[in-house]
Amino acid sequence: MKVITLEEIKENININEVLSELKKSFIYYSEKKIICAPITQTHFPEKNADIHIKSGYLKDDKYYYIKIAAGFPENYLKNISPSQGVIIALNTTTGIPEILINDNGFITDTRTALSASLCAQFFGDKEIQSVGIMGCGIQAYLNAKYLKFIFPCLKNLFIYGRNYSNLEKSYEKFNDLGYTVNLTANANNVLMNNKLIICTTSAKVPYLFRDNIIPGTLIIALGADDGIKQELCPSVLLQAKNIFVDSSHQCLQYGELSHAVKLYPKIQDNILELGDIFSKNEAYISSESYSVIDLTGLAAQDIMLSRYIINKL
């Protein structure tokens, strides 16, 4: 079996090429060119950790991909990355496992953050100078890093965290990205000062409410990738002008949307899949209200990036 190492992956990826592959992944998913198996999720409540397995294949492709992604937040106490995982490529003719991508969760972390950046690039203000990020962990950092790459004009970064001590510890890493960094333990401070909001926490109780959301705001929620996590109050989705999702099926089961439709079932009539929007190349955002993008993470994203890496090497 061929093994592709994390070092090889990092040496061979190009951000603009990855953005292109991610855009295709959403389109292929909505067009049903990529077949995804049901997601397997296992939670470890005593460790506040989880393991997700996502798998599938691109029609007529050589490989079927199985991704195992683990999130163990307390790993930092052992000087180990909280994100772990591997991707296995099996031959679709023989079923033989031929390639192991030993990415240590890098692909999952990268595609998650860059998918938010792709949405911001497609729907957002091209001259944006300020962004608000909820959370101060890996996803918060990667989102800040890639947004700075896509929007060089970005100057101000507002970071919200429930634990101010952790916020203060993270200040330097965000400051080193070239931002003027503003730390706050009050989510409303972020909402009142930004029209681009990225939600990256693993919160299980909503902290973001529709009060103080500025008209024209784009909220990208990527923290709730299962049925337990929740960052947005359901009324945020109820009042949104547009709701865009990576997968209507997944979001109704796992994402922010899954919580909102229990209270407001008609919300599901207002959702559009990103793949359908990207394929038409039509970005429409209301300047009088606000829009929400619910990202739960697709096997399609992992498949397209795995193919990209294999072709590179």
Side-chain angles (χ1 to χ4, degrees):
M1 181 188 295
K2 178 180 179 180
V3 177
I4 297 175
T5 66
L6 177 59
E7 291 70 26
E8 290 176 309
I9 296 170
K10 289 183 175 181
E11 289 172 2
N12 286 278
I13 66 166
N14 174 281
I15 298 304
N16 287 318
E17 291 174 351
V18 171
L19 286 168
S20 177
E21 293 299 316
L22 286 172
K23 189 174 184 180
K24 285 189 285 187
S25 77
F26 290 113
I27 294 172
Y28 289 172
Y29 176 83
S30 292
E31 291 178 345
K32 295 181 170 50
K33 291 180 180 178
I34 289 180
I35 308 302
C36 300
I39 298 172
T40 298
Q41 300 176 335
T42 302
H43 295 277
F44 301 86
E46 70 281 3
K47 299 181 178 69
N48 190 31
D50 52 55
I51 294 176
H52 294 190
I53 300 175
K54 295 180 179 179
S55 61
Y57 67 101
L58 176 65
K59 287 182 178 179
D60 301 319
D61 193 31
K62 182 179 180 180
Y63 293 115
Y64 182 95
Y65 297 92
I66 301 173
K67 185 197 76 170
I68 303 170
F72 281 68
E74 294 179 7
N75 275 3
Y76 77 93
L77 297 173
K78 306 170 187 175
N79 228 14
I80 303 172
S81 172
S83 294
Q84 296 294 326
V86 296
I87 298 173
I88 304 169
L90 294 82
N91 189 297
T92 53
T93 301
T94 65
I96 296 173
E98 293 187 357
I99 302 173
L100 187 147
I101 303 175
N102 192 18
D103 71 312
N104 293 356
F106 176 79
I107 290 176
T108 298
D109 287 340
T110 301
R111 63 85 156 147
T112 301
L114 279 175
S115 293
S117 296
L118 173 66
C119 292
Q121 183 183 52
F122 189 83
F123 292 102
D125 180 358
K126 304 300 183 288
E127 302 300 320
I128 190 169
Q129 295 190 9
S130 180
V131 60
I133 296 181
M134 306 302 198
C136 57
I138 291 176
Q139 273 307 307
Y141 176 77
L142 290 177
N143 271 272
K145 175 182 176 181
Y146 293 134
L147 284 170
K148 189 72 170 175
F149 173 83
I150 292 172
F151 300 102
C153 53
L154 268 177
K155 298 177 181 177
N156 300 310
L157 173 62
F158 287 75
I159 298 287
Y160 160 79
R162 291 163 289 178
N163 186 316
Y164 199 81
S165 175
N166 288 340
L167 271 179
E168 290 182 314
K169 292 174 184 176
S170 68
Y171 176 85
E172 290 299 330
K173 69 179 181 181
F174 290 107
N175 187 64
D176 289 345
L177 294 175
Y179 289 99
T180 298
V181 180
N182 303 273
L183 304 178
T184 180
N186 186 337
N188 285 330
N189 289 342
V190 179
L191 293 177
M192 291 187 292
N193 286 283
N194 298 279
K195 287 191 174 183
L196 175 60
I197 307 293
I198 314 290
C199 301
T200 72
T201 78
S202 58
K204 297 178 178 63
V205 177
Y207 60 82
L208 195 153
F209 301 88
R210 62 188 178 92
D211 298 336
N212 300 310
I213 297 177
I214 303 172
T217 293
L218 176 64
I219 300 170
I220 303 175
L222 49 87
D225 57 357
D226 59 31
I228 297 175
K229 300 169 189 171
Q230 183 181 9
E231 299 185 275
L232 311 184
C233 175
S235 64
V236 172
L237 287 97
L238 177 66
Q239 297 296 324
K241 178 68 175 179
N242 303 297
I243 302 173
F244 304 106
V245 299
D246 52 7
S247 163
S248 55
H249 172 72
Q250 282 187 198
C251 288
L252 288 169
Q253 284 190 308
Y254 307 118
E256 297 293 344
L257 202 57
S258 70
H259 302 287
V261 294
K262 293 174 183 176
L263 295 176
Y264 312 111
K266 289 188 177 181
I267 287 179
Q268 59 190 302
D269 298 332
N270 189 34
I271 64 175
L272 293 169
E273 283 195 347
L274 290 170
D276 294 328
I277 303 299
F278 290 156
S279 64
K280 297 173 184 176
N281 203 32
E282 296 177 354
Y284 44 98
I285 292 292
S286 172
S287 59
E288 298 178 357
S289 183
Y290 60 88
S291 301
V292 175
I293 300 177
D294 191 6
L295 300 176
T296 52
L298 302 178
Q301 297 165 278
D302 305 312
I303 291 165
M304 293 303 292
L305 286 201
S306 296
R307 293 179 75 252
Y308 166 75
I309 289 164
I310 289 171
N311 291 333
K312 277 273 194 175
L313 297 171

